[in-house]
Amino acid sequence: MSTISIPDTQATATPRRPAARPLAVSYAGLDLKRQLRDKVGMFFIVALPAFLFFVFGMGDDESYGSANVAMYVMVSMAAYGAVTATTTVAGAAATEQTMGWGRQLALTPLSSLAFVAIKTAVAMAVAAVPIALIYAIGAATGSSGNAVDWLASAGIAWLGSALFAVYGLAICLVFKGENAASIASGLIVILSFLGNVFTPMDGLMLEIGRFTPLYGYAGLARYPISEGYLPMGAGHDPVWLLLANVCAWTVIFAALAVWGLRRRRERV
């Protein structure tokens, strides 16, 4: 008599893949810890802006707008730290994708959209660190302003730094190799000088600086304090000009990122 064998479904069943949502939360937590443990990266994101605030603005009680000079410098340095953070994290994400890490993630339930969302969340979380630290130092060392000055400038500095996540992504997709993230971070220093972040400018340099990416962002972060009036009587920036600068550079960086991504895919 022939026998009918029944397959062992438990032995042949395909292993269940982990759910995407818990995996996304775990990956975001691990990536955030990795970023915060990067001593060199956190030095440039947190320690350097704090040091610059100590050097240029701490304790300066001279009146400026609705606050004082110390708060004006504090906002500028916090904005610099925030854009360094988002640039670094986004640039590293682009480099990871081009260096093969993207293939590893493709084996998990994480979608490309989830990966972008995780990196954006991590970048914004890291950007909050220099803002919180520098504002705490400022509050303890004589930076003064009303409640609107503190809350509005911090919120604008934090939200506006998302623009430089797009910038970091664009630079690291356009340039090749592991040095792309370093190029993006290095350019931030130059753009900060041109963007009226480190030292007040006037004359021709100020006119050139108005067309650079950090000018509109830093101006908006300081707008609750200055209402657009520049130091040394250098002039006045209406809010529409600062917003136009941010919007224009957002479009430019997004277009560069799309072009760089398409170029890489064509090579593959």
Side-chain angles (χ1 to χ4, degrees):
M1 179 181 291
S2 62
T3 59
I4 301 175
S5 61
I6 300 175
D8 187 355
T9 56
Q10 292 183 349
T12 59
T14 302
R16 184 176 296 178
R17 299 175 75 186
R21 183 172 297 178
L23 180 61
V25 174
S26 299
Y27 179 61
L30 290 171
D31 195 43
L32 179 59
K33 289 178 182 178
R34 180 176 65 86
Q35 296 291 340
L36 295 177
R37 283 200 296 256
D38 181 2
K39 295 179 181 179
V40 176
M42 292 307 295
F43 171 81
F44 288 102
I45 291 171
V46 179
L48 180 59
F51 172 74
L52 292 174
F53 173 55
F54 275 114
V55 172
F56 293 118
M58 188 181 69
D60 193 333
D61 292 330
E62 184 179 350
S63 177
Y64 184 83
S66 59
N68 60 7
V69 172
M71 187 168 185
Y72 177 91
V73 178
M74 179 193 75
V75 175
S76 299
M77 294 304 103
Y80 170 70
V83 301
T84 303
T86 52
T87 298
T88 300
V89 176
T95 303
E96 288 171 6
Q97 288 290 299
T98 58
M99 298 302 290
W101 179 237
R103 296 188 183 94
Q104 296 294 324
L105 290 176
L107 301 175
T108 72
L110 284 179
S111 64
S112 298
L113 182 61
F115 176 78
V116 172
I118 289 169
K119 286 297 185 180
T120 301
V122 170
M124 296 306 291
V126 176
V129 176
I131 294 175
L133 176 63
I134 294 171
Y135 271 57
I137 295 171
T141 56
S143 297
S144 66
N146 57 48
V148 174
D149 294 338
W150 286 87
L151 295 175
S153 61
I156 295 170
W158 184 65
L159 293 173
S161 65
L163 163 62
F164 291 87
V166 184
Y167 157 82
L169 186 64
I171 296 298
C172 290
L173 286 172
V174 170
F175 292 96
K176 298 187 298 181
E178 297 180 355
N179 293 327
S182 299
I183 293 172
S185 298
L187 286 174
I188 285 293
V189 178
I190 299 172
L191 293 174
S192 295
F193 278 105
L194 292 175
N196 218 23
V197 175
F198 290 152
T199 56
M201 299 186 300
D202 58 4
L204 178 61
M205 290 302 298
L206 177 63
E207 296 303 319
I208 295 173
R210 283 192 168 104
F211 294 95
T212 59
L214 267 163
Y215 188 88
Y217 161 71
L220 286 174
R222 297 186 299 241
Y223 200 87
I225 299 169
S226 66
E227 296 184 351
Y229 289 96
L230 300 173
M232 304 185 302
H236 176 261
D237 291 324
V239 68
W240 66 263
L241 175 67
L242 303 175
L243 287 171
N245 176 284
V246 171
C247 292
W249 281 107
T250 300
V251 172
I252 292 170
F253 291 145
L256 281 173
V258 171
W259 176 73
L261 183 60
R262 287 178 177 175
R263 189 179 64 165
R264 288 185 181 274
R265 286 177 176 174
E266 288 173 358
R267 289 177 180 175
V268 175

